[in-house]
Amino acid sequence: MLVGVVAGFLNTIAGGGSLLTLPFLVFLGLEASVANATNRVAILLQNVVGTLRFRRKGVLDLKEAMFLAFPALLGAVLGTYVVINIEERFLKLVIAAVISIMAFLLVFKPKMWETQKEKHFPIWAKVPIFFLIGVYGGFIQAGVGFILIWALVGVVGKDLVRANALKVAIVLAYTTVSLALFMSKGMVDFAIGFSLAAGNMCGAYIGAWFAVSKGNRWIRYILAAAVFVSAIRMAMGALGA
């Protein structure tokens, strides 16, 4: 539960909470595949709380969230079912590089993240981006929050508060389907999953309050720190360190 509180806060305010919970679940004795599936219980309930809190605070547009969540949901189905034909070590290095660039921009291009802009990307450009994000989220989940925030800020044009609100709603939508698929394979340990979820839900509640009350600048600081640490951890894991 304590690990879940930290992970829920990070997932709601920035991302990377699953980079903490997945190794912890393996440490408890779960197989990596079962840990990946069981983690979705906490992710689902955490994002129920986060979505409700952001909606109540008036920073979440549900219609927009549903539009962006649909291609992500389809991608998550593919990511859950299909074994990706890329060596996992290579995939981790690519993700580490992407979020390292994101960390650089967070520190040196603050206005990019703190100001809401109108982006005029056509639908044909948005749909495949969120579909591919859904594929990755359905496959492993860890680090998907960083990628979603990048897309919501850089492609959709949201500031960090509204990007986080949309992020939790999108993840909630595709995790519902992804978890159901994992459950159909009997891969979910519900006793551990619900214990972790209790902590994640508390962390999500605190994180949603923090995001709205503290604003974009504080989110950027925490996001930058989380991204740097996660990039280092992914790179070390890919290199076998």
Side-chain angles (χ1 to χ4, degrees):
M1 287 178 65
L2 291 176
V3 171
V5 171
V6 177
F9 178 83
L10 285 175
N11 283 335
T12 305
I13 205 79
S18 292
L19 294 170
L20 174 66
T21 57
L22 286 176
F24 182 75
L25 291 174
V26 172
F27 173 77
L28 291 179
L30 298 183
E31 294 181 4
S33 58
V34 176
N36 186 26
T38 300
N39 186 50
R40 309 306 172 108
V41 177
I43 295 297
L44 177 69
L45 296 178
Q46 155 205 297
N47 285 302
V48 169
V49 172
T51 298
L52 291 174
R53 286 293 291 168
F54 279 123
R55 178 64 174 169
R56 192 167 297 164
K57 292 294 184 179
V59 296
L60 175 61
D61 184 339
L62 282 180
K63 183 178 180 181
E64 185 175 22
M66 291 174 62
F67 170 76
L68 296 172
F70 184 70
L73 186 151
L74 295 178
V77 173
L78 179 62
T80 304
Y81 265 127
V82 179
V83 176
I84 297 178
N85 295 315
I86 299 177
E87 186 180 352
E88 187 174 351
R89 177 176 295 186
F90 176 75
L91 178 62
K92 286 181 178 179
L93 283 173
V94 171
I95 298 300
V98 169
I99 63 178
S100 295
I101 294 170
M102 180 178 168
F104 177 86
L105 294 174
L106 279 161
V107 174
F108 296 105
K109 296 287 185 179
K111 290 184 179 179
M112 172 183 175
W113 305 89
E114 296 180 7
T115 305
Q116 183 162 328
K117 305 167 286 295
E118 287 297 326
K119 293 287 184 180
H120 299 288
F121 281 80
I123 293 177
W124 62 262
K126 292 180 182 179
V127 169
I129 289 173
F130 283 90
F131 175 82
L132 291 174
I133 293 173
V135 171
Y136 177 77
F139 181 69
I140 196 169
Q141 180 66 32
V144 73
F146 300 139
I147 304 171
L148 269 172
I149 290 176
W150 167 81
L152 290 166
V153 171
V155 176
V156 182
K158 300 299 179 182
D159 62 14
L160 283 174
V161 173
R162 287 167 177 78
N164 269 294
L166 284 169
K167 178 194 70 180
V168 298
I170 292 169
V171 175
L172 170 61
Y174 78 67
T175 302
T176 303
V177 176
S178 184
L179 177 60
L181 294 174
F182 280 121
M183 288 171 58
S184 70
K185 301 294 184 180
M187 299 172 64
V188 180
D189 186 319
F190 283 103
I192 292 177
F194 283 124
S195 296
L196 182 65
N200 275 56
M201 292 166 73
C202 293
Y205 187 92
I206 298 169
W209 167 83
F210 186 93
V212 176
S213 63
K214 298 300 182 182
N216 290 297
R217 179 168 297 182
W218 273 99
I219 297 175
R220 183 168 60 85
Y221 293 152
I222 294 174
L223 182 58
V227 166
F228 271 121
V229 173
S230 298
I232 292 170
R233 288 195 61 180
M234 278 193 175
M236 291 178 64
L239 296 173

